[in-house]
Structures are given as C-alpha cells and as structure tokens.
C-alpha cells in the first residue's frame, strides 16, 4: 500500500506541473505559486485507489482540491 501511496503522490506532482499555468491563470490571477503542503483526503479514493488531496501554497490563502477523476460534470453544475 505504501507503493500505491507513493505512485499517487508522484501522479499529483506530475499533474500539477502539467497544469500549472492553467491553474495559476484560472484560480490565482497568474500569480507564481509555491506548493507548501499536500493534505490527503482520507477515505476518498477514485479510479483504482487514486486519492483526493488539498493543495496549499505558501504565497496564497487559496487552496486547490485535487480529485483524480473527470470533473467536467462538477464544473457544469457549479457554473449554473
């Protein structure tokens, strides 16, 4: 199970790096972000044990909830 946790943390980091520019522009007005903390959401897993996390940044009070699933449906609901 430790190996699965490590794989999940690597996946979170890779996806954050991949989507960094879009996240910064959409949620932080283009501000440069410095990741401070990853808080694992206990008991919430998706797609074969992938975990949801809350990402906190040193230079912003805002947080990002990372969910390893397609959130397009959630986005449509929230935009109404």
């Amino acid at each position: 199970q430790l190996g699965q946790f490590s794989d999940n943390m690597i996946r979170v980091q890779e996806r954050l790096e991949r989507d960094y520019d879009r996240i910064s522009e959409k949620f932080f007005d283009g501000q440069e972000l410095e990741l401070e903390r990853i808080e694992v959401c206990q008991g919430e897993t998706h797609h074969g044990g992938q975990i949801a996390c809350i990402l906190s940044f040193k230079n912003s009070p805002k947080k990002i909830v990372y969910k390893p699933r397609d959130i397009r449906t959630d986005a449509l609901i929230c935009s109404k």
Side-chain angles (χ1 to χ4, degrees), residues 4 8 11 15 44-52 66-69:
Q4 187 178 36
N8 283 320
R11 192 174 295 112
R15 290 177 177 169
E44 186 173 351
T45 61
H46 302 271
H47 301 289
Q50 294 184 60
I51 51 178
Y66 166 82
K67 290 196 173 193
R69 62 181 179 82

Side-chain angles (χ1 to χ4, degrees), residues 42-71:
Q42 297 293 331
E44 186 173 351
T45 61
H46 302 271
H47 301 289
Q50 294 184 60
I51 51 178
C53 301
I54 299 172
L55 308 178
S56 302
F57 302 92
K58 287 184 180 180
N59 51 339
S60 177
K62 293 181 184 177
K63 297 179 181 186
I64 293 287
V65 177
Y66 166 82
K67 290 196 173 193
R69 62 181 179 82
D70 189 339
I71 62 164

Side-chain angles (χ1 to χ4, degrees), residues 1-77:
Q1 195 151 25
L2 183 58
Q4 187 178 36
F5 178 79
S6 296
D7 291 345
N8 283 320
M9 291 297 98
I10 290 168
R11 192 174 295 112
V12 169
Q13 179 183 353
E14 289 172 348
R15 290 177 177 169
L16 178 61
E17 288 175 2
R18 179 192 68 201
D19 297 330
Y20 175 86
D21 290 335
R22 287 188 288 178
I23 291 169
S24 175
E25 287 297 321
K26 178 127 182 118
F27 301 109
F28 298 92
D29 297 322
Q31 178 181 351
E32 188 171 321
L33 302 171
E34 187 175 348
L35 185 63
E36 179 175 46
R37 181 177 176 190
I38 299 176
E39 181 181 341
V40 175
C41 297
Q42 297 293 331
E44 186 173 351
T45 61
H46 302 271
H47 301 289
Q50 294 184 60
I51 51 178
C53 301
I54 299 172
L55 308 178
S56 302
F57 302 92
K58 287 184 180 180
N59 51 339
S60 177
K62 293 181 184 177
K63 297 179 181 186
I64 293 287
V65 177
Y66 166 82
K67 290 196 173 193
R69 62 181 179 82
D70 189 339
I71 62 164
R72 286 181 284 193
T73 301
D74 295 343
L76 288 172
I77 292 169

